[in-house]
Amino acid sequence: MITVGFPLVGGFIITAAFMPSLIRYFRARHEGQMIREEGPTWHEKKSGTPTMGGLLFIIAILVMTLAASWLTAPHHVLSTTWILLFILVLYGALGAWDDSIKLFHRQNEGLKAWQKLLGQIAGALLLFWVYVHEQLPMELKLPGLGTWHMGGWYALFAIIWLVGFSNAVNLSDGLDGLVSGLASISFAAYGIVALAQHQTNISIFCFAVVGSLLGFLLFNHKPAKIFMGDTGSLALGGALAAVAILLHHEVSLLWIGLVYVIETASVILQVASFKLTGKRIFLMSPIHHHFEMLGWSEWKIDLTFWAVGLLTAISGVWVMLAK
């Protein structure tokens, strides 16, 4: 109950209870999202919607993870718990800095790419240090190919994984409620795997994320009253990659996080195609905008993408637990 129910319900209550006050605060200060000019024209009506809602659910995750961890082990919070919280806060701080610049300058461009990358790499290197300190195996389990012992190269892998998936989740955050629902499913999947592995501290963190995101979704579904901003999306992506690494099911994230992978691939393909041929593959990228341009409603896209995420999560968990 403490491992699942307490962080899940507690995260939901904290986020749901305090989010109206945060929305009122941002509205009073006229701090709202600036919509990118190249986006769908009908998104212009979302301009001015409060953003940086990720601040509150990050706080809720911190509070509930530490509270539940203390209840299960009063005298020793594991270093893996601290690194998960550190990654969440560090990547959230990067996102908050980015969001703040956008709000201050009233534009949709924040931190320089190299500034984001530097912070993301720093977080990945610290995760690797904890990984070494805990004497966890620096190897990858490749389906059908056995185990690949990486040694020091695992640090490079950790960097690629954290940077890649934090940006992938960030790219996916383009529709009301899309990432809130997807990330809830992804973290729930890894929470179940953590329980099966008896890694209580990681399961507590995962279910604290799920509860907090479900509380946020009450205000983030269409029509969104608040957005999570880069504050939330970068934090969620980095934390999700860190969870997969600490559970030693790194490669599974390519499947459980398939929607994020497809979203990112659509941007890469779109840019590559335009530069090489002058033609675009999609009507707009990331791919959720392509479906919008085809006439799909945001709710239809959300439900479809959530269904795909749920399918990959269920099948991914089944494969991991079957071994």
Side-chain angles (χ1 to χ4, degrees), residues 42 116 126 133 139 165 171 173 175 189 209 230 233 307:
W42 52 88
K116 275 188 185 178
L126 188 57
H133 182 264
E139 58 188 27
F165 275 97
L171 283 173
D173 185 33
L175 298 179
V209 175
D230 288 2
S233 58

Side-chain angles (χ1 to χ4, degrees), residues 242-257:
V243 164
I245 288 172
L246 292 174
L247 288 176
H248 205 45
H249 279 295
E250 306 91 339
V251 180
S252 68
L253 191 50
L254 292 173
W255 181 249
I256 287 180

Side-chain angles (χ1 to χ4, degrees), residues 52-279:
M52 294 179 70
L55 281 173
L56 181 55
F57 67 66
I58 287 174
I59 292 172
I61 294 166
L62 284 170
V63 170
M64 294 313 304
T65 298
L66 290 174
S69 298
W70 184 84
L71 287 172
T72 54
H75 304 295
H76 182 56
V77 178
L78 296 178
S79 57
T80 47
T81 296
W82 289 114
I83 188 60
L84 285 173
L85 295 178
F86 177 82
I87 293 294
L88 183 78
V89 171
L90 174 63
Y91 280 54
L94 283 172
W97 188 9
D98 193 44
D99 288 332
S100 298
I101 293 173
K102 294 174 186 176
L103 291 173
F104 181 77
H105 292 290
R106 300 295 176 183
Q107 62 185 27
N108 198 48
E109 293 183 6
L111 285 174
K112 299 284 193 267
W114 70 266
Q115 293 173 317
K116 275 188 185 178
L117 183 62
L118 189 62
Q120 291 169 318
I121 290 175
L125 288 175
L126 188 57
L127 171 66
F128 177 70
W129 179 83
V130 172
Y131 205 84
V132 172
H133 182 264
E134 293 292 317
Q135 298 183 328
L136 297 171
M138 288 184 283
E139 58 188 27
L140 288 180
K141 297 176 183 176
L142 303 175
L145 299 176
T147 301
W148 181 23
H149 299 275
M150 300 184 69
W153 288 102
Y154 198 87
L156 178 60
F157 170 80
I159 291 172
I160 293 172
W161 229 231
L162 265 76
V163 173
F165 275 97
S166 64
N167 289 322
V169 174
N170 181 242
L171 283 173
S172 305
D173 185 33
L175 298 179
D176 296 2
L178 180 56
V179 163
S180 303
L182 280 174
S184 298
I185 294 168
S186 303
F187 277 99
Y190 283 116
I192 293 170
V193 173
L195 282 174
Q197 291 185 357
H198 304 292
Q199 297 206 52
T200 305
N201 62 315
I202 297 179
S203 66
I204 286 172
F205 175 81
C206 287
F207 288 113
V209 175
V210 174
S212 301
L213 283 179
L214 291 178
F216 179 68
L217 188 56
L218 294 176
F219 306 90
N220 184 235
H221 69 74
K222 184 173 176 61
K225 297 179 179 66
I226 189 168
F227 301 133
M228 68 173 65
D230 288 2
T231 306
S233 58
L234 287 177
L236 291 173
L240 186 62
V243 164
I245 288 172
L246 292 174
L247 288 176
H248 205 45
H249 279 295
E250 306 91 339
V251 180
S252 68
L253 191 50
L254 292 173
W255 181 249
I256 287 180
L258 182 63
V259 174
Y260 314 125
V261 174
I262 292 173
E263 292 270 33
T264 305
S266 70
V267 174
I268 295 172
L269 290 172
Q270 184 87 321
V271 172
S273 176
F274 187 74
K275 287 187 174 182
L276 293 174
T277 68
K279 297 180 180 179

